[in-house]
Amino acid sequence: MRVLHFCKTYYPDSVGGIEQVIRQMCVGTGRLGVTNTVLSLSREKNLAPIAFEGHTVHRVPLDFELASNGCSVASFGALARLAREADVVHYHFPWPFADLAHFVARVRKPTVLTYHSDIVRQKKLLRLYQPLKQRFLRSVDAIVATSPNYMESSPVLGRYRDKTRIITYGLDQSTYPQPDPARLAYWRERVGPKFFLFVGVLRYYKGLHVLLEAVAGTNYPVVIVGSGPEEDRLKAQAQRLGLKTVLFVGAVGEDDKVALLTLCYALAFPSHLRSEAFGISLLEGAMYGKPMVSCDIGTGTTYINIDGETGLVAPPSDPRALRATLRTLWDNPDLAREMGACAAARFEEVFTASQMATSYNSLYQELVARRAATPGIAVPGHAAPAKAPD
C-alpha cells in the first residue's frame, strides 16, 4: 500500500500540530506496511527529497500566500506524478489550494481527506471559495472527522455524513525523546517546581489574551512555549498587566518541550475559537499524565479534556471563569494528581498512534478494494478515465 499525503507544510520546514499528526500517521501506518510519501510546500532553496522517520518528503517551492493559503505552480506537476505512483492520495483540509491542485493534476486514485478544521476567519474569501470547496468535498472518496464533537458541531461535515467517519488523532510517546536530566534541572531552576504550561503557536484563536487576564492579580506561574503572529501583542499585554510570573520562552526543541511537559503542574489550553479543532499539545499533556484546563468550544478539545474527570473546562473568552478553574487545580494538588492519572488512562484508551494508524490503514484498504470492485473506475496500475469525478 502506497499513500501520498499532500499538505501545505511539513517537517523539516515547520513544526506544529498538523505536522505532528501527519508524522504520527506516517510512522504508525508505516509499521503496518504502508509506504508513505509527503508532498509539501517550502521556502527553502535545497528541495531534494528527504528520508524522514521511514517515509519520504518531497517539497516544491512556495510561490506566494493569500490569506495564509500557500500556492505553488510546481505542485501541480509534482502531485500528478506522485499520485500516479500511489494507491491512495490523502489530503488535509483546510487548504483551498489543494482543492484546485486536485483537479488541475487530474488525480484519479482513491482519495481520503482529513478534515482538521472548519474555515472560521476568512468569511468574505470563503464565499468565493465555496463552489470549489463543495466540488472538492463531493469528489473525495472519504472524509475523516477528528472527534465526535467536531462531527456534530460542524455545519460543513453535516452535509457529508454519508461518507464521513471519525478517526481521532493519536500520539506515540516512544517517538518523543526521553526527559534529559540536564534539561530537567535547567528548567526546574528557571521556572520553579509548580507552574501551568501552554505549548503552541501563538495564534489569534489560542485564547492566550484571556489566560493573561485570568492570571492578573494572582501569583500563578505560567510558562508559555511557542512563537507566532500574536507574540508581540501578548508580551505587551503581559507587561501592561504587570504579570511578573508569566514567562514567554519562545519556540523550543523537543528535548526542552518534553522536560517542561514532565515538570509542569497542569496544562493550560485556553483556545476560544473553533479554529482550534483538536489541540495536539493538549493531547500531549494527557499523554504525560497532566491535568488540563481548556475551554468548551464544541471541538475536540472537550473530547480530550472531560470536565471534572481529566481536568476542568471553562466557558470560552471568560477570564473570571478561567481564573476559577486554575484556582481549583492550584489549590487542590490531590485533585490535580487524580485528574492527571485519569488523563493518562484516557489517552491510552482512546488516543494512541497505533489506534489511529490501524483505523487509517483499514480505511485505505477499504477504498482501494471499493475502487477495484467498481467498473469503469481507475485502480492502481490501470489506465485512468478521461473525466474527473464531480
Side-chain angles (χ1 to χ4, degrees), residues 74 142 153 156 160 190 217 255 259 265-266 301 312 324 328 355 357 363 384 390:
S153 63
V156 176
Y160 302 96
R190 186 174 178 188
D255 286 335
Y265 181 72
T301 63
L312 297 173
T328 298
Q355 291 166 301
L363 178 57
D390 197 359

Side-chain angles (χ1 to χ4, degrees), residues 175-242:
T175 64
Y176 289 68
Q178 290 296 310
D180 178 66
R183 301 318 296 164
L184 289 170
Y186 168 81
W187 285 110
R188 191 180 290 112
E189 176 67 23
R190 186 174 178 188
V191 302
K194 185 178 179 182
F195 60 93
F196 290 105
L197 176 68
F198 169 87
V199 180
V201 180
L202 309 188
R203 300 192 189 280
Y204 70 96
Y205 57 82
K206 294 294 185 179
L208 287 168
H209 62 292
V210 183
L211 178 62
L212 296 182
E213 291 282 353
V215 299
T218 76
N219 60 352
Y220 303 151
V222 177
V223 176
I224 296 176
V225 174
S227 59
E230 296 296 309
E231 185 171 357
D232 290 342
R233 187 178 306 175
L234 291 167
K235 287 180 176 178
Q237 180 187 4
Q239 186 175 15
R240 186 171 65 252
L241 292 171

Side-chain angles (χ1 to χ4, degrees), residues 62 70 94 203 205 216 309 342-343 351 358 373:
L62 169 68
R203 300 192 189 280
Y205 57 82
E309 180 181 330
C342 289
F351 297 112
T358 298

